[in-house]
Amino acid sequence: MICIPITSGSGRKVLNDIKRSCQIADFIELRMDLIGGENLDELISIVRRQSRTIKIIVTCRRKEEAVPAARAKRTDAVERNKKKKMALLKQAVELNADFIDIELAEGSKAINELKSLCAQMNSRTQFIVSHHNFNKTPSLIELKKIFGQCARFKPAVVKIVTTARTIEDNLVILNLISFARKRSQNIISLCMGGQGVISRMIAPFMGNFLSFATLHKGGQSAPGQFTVQQMNRFKNLISAKRGMSASVLSSCNTPVKNYVLLGNPVGHSLSPLMHNAALKKMGIEENYSVCCVQDIGLAIEGIRGMNIRGASVTIPFKVAVMDYLNEIDRNTLEIGAVNTICNHNGRLKGYNTDWLGFILALKQSMTIKNKTFAIIGAGGTARAAAYGIVKEGGLPIILNRTRSKGRILAKEFNCSFYPLSDAGKIKADCLINTTPVGMFPHIDKSPMNPASLAAFKYVMDVIYNPLRTKLLMDAEKQGCSIISGIEMFVNQGAEQLKLWTGKEPPRTLMKKIILERLNKSE
Ligand code: NAP
């Protein structure tokens, strides 16, 4: 996310800069120490009139802040400046600015005073507790200590900015970003100065909360800052080199607020067709694209860096992606596979909607409580299915090709395991295929011998392309009731859209669109 600092002094220039920034940035920082004057109220109203979505950060640095607090002379002037700054930050809280930036060096009394005011006024203002070092980049150990001191105030964001004297200083600062992310703390961390530009280029890809960039050359609020255009060029270049299609990730010039499917392969997916039709019907001017991913860790950094609102995750990353997220929903943690990501201002939370989609589909045909379900497969979808069945009071049985994987899953859900080669010996109320066997273009394949299917009253295939897999056709011939993967597909997709937009999606339309496409190809 891009933050443009507003630093100009004169009225008309401030107005023009704010107008332009609101069109291209996610955040605007009102540097009241550089703008001067007492017109915070007016400036906030101007920003709000230009954009309802842009976030406002109010900052007021004192000159003395470059000097470590312990050494700063406690002159009358310093005290006066401090009082002035506090009054301004209090006003920002009263005006509901989205964020205020307060230096750690102001001390806990000042920070707590502002926090109390915020609580008292029920203000929505969040805190950035910051530390700047204008001389050097301290060691990582020292920076971690400073991070701890800032994080103690439980701010929305910790900001630690140092001065790079060597290229290696960039590595220290980038390490600090990983350190903060592992602790689920939003951070803005970078090196100032000519030697520090590398940190400004890489930090967005490591999950830095935002990147500062200026509107014009010469308008920098800190040494080494790029212009918005330069920042966009780097981001696009790095994204393209990593195999992240620039058209998918778009550019920060027009902030991306879209959705993407991460998987490999993804070319066959019907999710874009379904999600884009639904978004259009919901009146949401956003789109859903696909991204063929080589390295899921890098793709996740791209989601953060490019401020993509949400992502679907498919084969083969549903389990691996969990290591790269800030938070995972409780049900999803139990399932152990993520198929949906929501981006909350750079904090990525993982969900699983497969289990809900699966249960909604199954319930349309049968009751689950006290029934037995033989699940073929032990991957992400099998996990979601087993979780849903247990949650609804059913009894799963796992059948899998790789015994070790099948046993692990059965143990987790406290149920029986059988090798897939023994499938002919199993009896259950319902058989569920969660493997890709039989999926387009291998439509003549089935994971089960047709004769064994008579042992099941219901047979469900999670595959939706083709609509009637060989397994389902064989099962029908054996007199079983069949359940196609389309209901699960539509419902898991609808639940994703609900998480991303907070609105109920048009499920009937989504199903119609997919049916039309599949019937055409059949
Ligand atoms: P996954 O995590 O890779 O797991 C695949 C499972 O299938 C593994 O247990 C694997 O067994 C087994 N398998 C693969 N090839 C096999 C073969 N030739 N013979 C026997 N077993 C085989 O994949 P997933 O994410 O669970 O997805 C599985 C399928 O579900 C895909 O076709 C996907 O499109 C579909 N799906 C549909 C929906 C929907 O909404 N309808 C939602 C999610 C997924 P091993 O353990 O032996 O490797």
Side-chain angles (χ1 to χ4, degrees):
M1 289 185 285
I2 295 275
C3 176
I4 300 181
I6 301 294
T7 58
S8 340
S10 83
R12 184 172 282 277
K13 180 144 184 352
V14 174
L15 189 63
N16 285 340
D17 285 354
I18 288 178
K19 271 190 186 163
R20 275 204 62 205
S21 302
C22 286
Q23 286 162 6
I24 60 177
D26 306 281
F27 287 76
I28 197 163
E29 183 187 36
L30 299 175
R31 279 291 302 265
M32 297 309 291
D33 49 322
L34 302 176
I35 296 172
E38 311 287 330
N39 55 351
L40 182 63
D41 192 355
E42 194 186 324
L43 287 173
I44 290 184
S45 320
I46 294 171
V47 178
R48 296 272 185 245
R49 276 203 299 276
Q50 294 299 319
S51 164
R52 268 188 278 159
T53 53
I54 198 159
K55 301 263 184 275
I56 302 172
I57 302 174
V58 176
T59 303
C60 183
R61 302 229 180 281
R62 290 185 286 128
K63 270 192 218 136
E64 318 81 59
E65 282 170 349
V67 183
R71 283 192 283 126
K73 284 188 196 150
R74 292 266 152 222
T75 61
D76 287 350
V78 171
E79 280 308 315
R80 255 199 321 278
N81 285 347
K82 185 168 176 170
K83 272 194 190 142
K84 209 169 148 193
K85 173 175 173 172
M86 281 297 283
L88 193 121
L89 292 179
K90 281 180 184 170
Q91 192 192 1
V93 170
E94 285 162 10
L95 292 170
N96 267 318
D98 298 285
F99 293 88
I100 54 170
D101 180 319
I102 172 112
E103 288 278 328
L104 177 66
E106 292 295 355
S108 46
K109 187 165 171 272
I111 299 174
N112 287 331
E113 194 180 321
L114 286 166
K115 287 192 85 174
S116 306
L117 176 70
C118 207
Q120 212 179 305
M121 303 214 51
N122 213 7
S123 165
R124 68 157 184 243
T125 304
Q126 300 188 69
F127 283 64
I128 300 174
V129 174
S130 61
H131 170 83
H132 293 75
N133 190 320
F134 294 90
N135 298 318
K136 62 172 186 174
T137 298
S139 69
L140 186 58
I141 296 178
E142 216 170 309
L143 287 177
K144 283 181 183 174
K145 260 194 227 159
I146 296 169
F147 170 85
Q149 289 163 7
C150 295
R152 188 161 56 96
F153 294 101
K154 299 196 186 335
V157 186
V158 167
K159 180 181 176 195
I160 296 181
V161 176
T162 63
T163 302
R165 287 185 178 169
T166 64
I167 294 287
E168 286 76 12
D169 285 342
N170 291 284
L171 301 178
V172 176
I173 247 6
L174 294 174
N175 256 310
L176 188 67
I177 297 176
S178 303
F179 178 79
R181 273 185 42 203
K182 281 190 190 126
R183 279 151 189 79
S184 296
Q185 171 66 60
N186 286 325
I187 188 163
I188 303 168
S189 194
L190 51 93
C191 289
M192 294 182 285
Q195 298 279 20
V197 291
I198 290 172
S199 68
R200 292 187 187 269
M201 287 162 70
I202 308 293
F205 292 90
M206 296 199 57
N208 223 18
F209 184 67
L210 53 79
S211 308
F212 291 98
T214 68
L215 273 180
H216 331 274
K217 265 188 187 157
Q220 282 84 352
S221 63
Q225 220 166 64
F226 292 121
T227 61
V228 175
Q229 288 76 7
Q230 285 170 330
M231 201 77 206
N232 287 337
R233 252 180 272 143
F234 294 134
K235 283 190 172 181
N236 287 340
L237 184 68
I238 293 173
S239 303
K241 287 283 175 207
R242 287 166 154 188
M244 306 279 288
S245 140
S247 63
V248 166
L249 294 175
S250 188
S251 96
C252 308
N253 222 346
T254 46
V256 178
K257 293 192 172 70
N258 298 343
Y259 311 97
V260 65
L261 168 66
L262 306 176
N264 191 348
V266 286
H268 66 284
S269 174
L270 295 183
S271 294
L273 181 74
M274 180 171 78
H275 282 319
N276 284 323
L279 285 166
K280 197 169 168 200
K281 178 83 182 166
M282 291 161 85
I284 298 173
E285 280 179 30
E286 293 174 340
N287 68 62
Y288 179 100
S289 326
V290 296
C291 184
C292 187
V293 170
Q294 301 295 333
D295 178 328
I296 188 68
L298 295 182
I300 291 300
E301 282 169 30
I303 298 280
R304 282 197 184 90
M306 300 297 165
N307 191 24
I308 290 174
R309 272 201 183 169
S312 312
V313 184
T314 187
I315 290 183
F317 300 119
K318 286 184 181 178
V319 178
V321 75
M322 295 174 76
D323 287 345
Y324 301 94
L325 305 176
N326 298 96
E327 205 182 330
I328 293 170
D329 150 76
R330 202 166 44 85
N331 293 327
T332 307
L333 211 52
E334 282 183 50
I335 294 167
V338 162
N339 80 325
T340 309
I341 298 171
C342 294
N343 185 350
H344 305 290
N345 288 329
R347 276 184 62 79
L348 303 189
K349 184 164 179 181
Y351 296 86
N352 189 304
T353 64
D354 280 338
W355 79 273
L356 264 174
F358 168 79
I359 287 297
L360 288 170
L362 203 55
K363 274 183 169 171
Q364 284 184 14
S365 300
M366 64 181 291
T367 53
I368 299 174
K369 201 169 164 66
N370 296 328
K371 297 282 191 299
T372 46
F373 296 84
I375 300 174
I376 313 177
T381 312
R383 288 182 163 276
Y387 177 80
I389 288 166
V390 170
K391 210 171 161 81
E392 294 289 325
L395 307 162
I397 301 164
I398 307 296
L399 301 162
N400 197 45
R401 178 179 63 178
T402 307
R403 295 176 186 217
S404 55
K405 272 176 74 183
R407 280 202 192 95
I408 290 171
L409 181 59
K411 202 166 167 204
E412 275 179 44
F413 287 94
N414 201 17
C415 63
S416 321
F417 163 75
Y418 296 89
L420 187 54
S421 48
D422 286 355
K425 298 177 194 162
I426 306 297
K427 256 190 100 148
D429 292 300
C430 178
L431 175 81
I432 299 156
N433 174 40
T434 71
T435 77
V437 180
M439 189 162 83
F440 180 84
H442 307 289
I443 56 173
D444 55 342
K445 299 266 186 299
S446 165
M448 286 288 281
N449 180 336
S452 322
L453 294 170
F456 307 97
K457 188 162 182 222
Y458 295 91
V459 173
M460 174 174 182
D461 203 329
V462 300
I463 293 171
Y464 61 88
N465 185 9
L467 276 171
R468 287 160 62 82
T469 57
K470 176 163 186 328
L471 173 72
L472 292 186
M473 289 193 281
D474 289 344
E476 210 169 30
K477 280 185 201 148
Q478 297 293 330
C480 314
S481 299
I482 59 168
I483 307 166
S484 148
I486 188 168
E487 293 293 346
M488 173 178 175
F489 180 62
V490 168
N491 282 307
Q492 63 79 32
E495 295 297 325
Q496 290 188 322
L497 283 168
K498 219 162 127 179
L499 281 170
W500 292 330
T501 66
K503 294 181 184 159
E504 178 57 34
R507 293 176 200 245
T508 313
L509 171 84
M510 290 161 78
K511 184 172 171 186
K512 183 171 162 266
I513 295 272
I514 295 299
L515 276 175
E516 273 170 14
R517 170 58 66 88
L518 290 173
N519 285 331
K520 215 185 265 177
S521 38
E522 274 182 5

